Amino acid sequence: MRSFSVAGRLIAAIVLTGLLSGCQTLGQAGLIQSTVTAELSPEAANSIASDMVGRLAEQAGPASTTIRFTPDGSVFGQALEASLKSWGYAVITDQKTDEANILALAYTVDEFEGAVLVRLSTLRFDLTRMYKPATDGATPVSPLSILQHGSAGTA
């Protein structure tokens, strides 16, 4: 019987996560509730948040985008809010609005086989990546996965 390497299992987990995310619905209220189930040091949370916000900026530039999200009080939620602001995003955390230029954002951070799986979700797209946390930060251990929502051919 053939055994799979750690890298092979990691790639399989990422592919499986991507396939299963297509089965998940957002329900009537829109986005999922932001949650963090993994224990992160402040340095790892800052490192991950900075990287993910950099990838978010590639999809929705900070100059024309206001982010609305509800932080969960975790170290990652605080790091994400600070990183969004440092990248130049206007951040709304305590009010709801239906304006077209507001990008609603939710996040999840879950532990998986010694690494953490981080997902930033919007109604237009999801960004997902795995990281290996350390005491002085975190290192990406997977490519960035981008899942576009909506129909093909629309902006």
Side-chain angles (χ1 to χ4, degrees):
M1 184 170 179
R2 185 173 180 218
S3 64
F4 293 99
S5 68
V6 172
R9 284 189 273 161
L10 182 60
I11 291 170
I14 292 169
V15 169
L16 181 61
T17 300
L19 292 172
L20 290 176
S21 69
C23 298
Q24 182 178 10
T25 63
L26 297 177
Q28 298 286 355
L31 292 176
I32 59 172
Q33 182 176 349
S34 295
T35 59
V36 176
T37 60
E39 292 291 325
L40 294 174
S41 68
E43 295 80 9
N46 287 331
S47 178
I48 293 169
S50 179
D51 182 59
M52 289 300 284
V53 171
R55 305 299 72 85
L56 176 68
E58 295 168 358
Q59 301 299 313
S64 61
T65 306
T66 298
I67 301 289
R68 178 177 48 85
F69 81 107
T70 304
D72 66 344
S74 67
V75 172
F76 181 78
Q78 295 167 2
L80 182 62
E81 184 176 356
S83 187
L84 286 165
K85 289 178 180 178
S86 74
W87 272 81
Y89 286 99
V91 178
I92 300 170
T93 59
D94 59 352
Q95 61 192 29
K96 291 193 176 194
T97 181
D98 292 328
E99 292 182 38
N101 62 343
I102 304 292
L103 184 64
L105 179 71
Y107 56 89
T108 60
V109 181
D110 297 308
E111 191 169 351
F112 182 76
E113 292 189 4
V116 291
L117 179 66
V118 179
R119 182 175 71 177
L120 297 184
S121 296
T122 72
L123 295 176
R124 297 185 331 211
F125 57 86
D126 289 349
L127 305 176
T128 306
R129 195 169 209 182
M130 296 275 300
Y131 294 88
K132 183 71 174 175
T135 56
D136 60 345
T139 305
V141 293
S142 75
L144 179 70
S145 169
I146 303 171
L147 174 65
Q148 298 286 336
H149 301 291
S151 27
T154 61

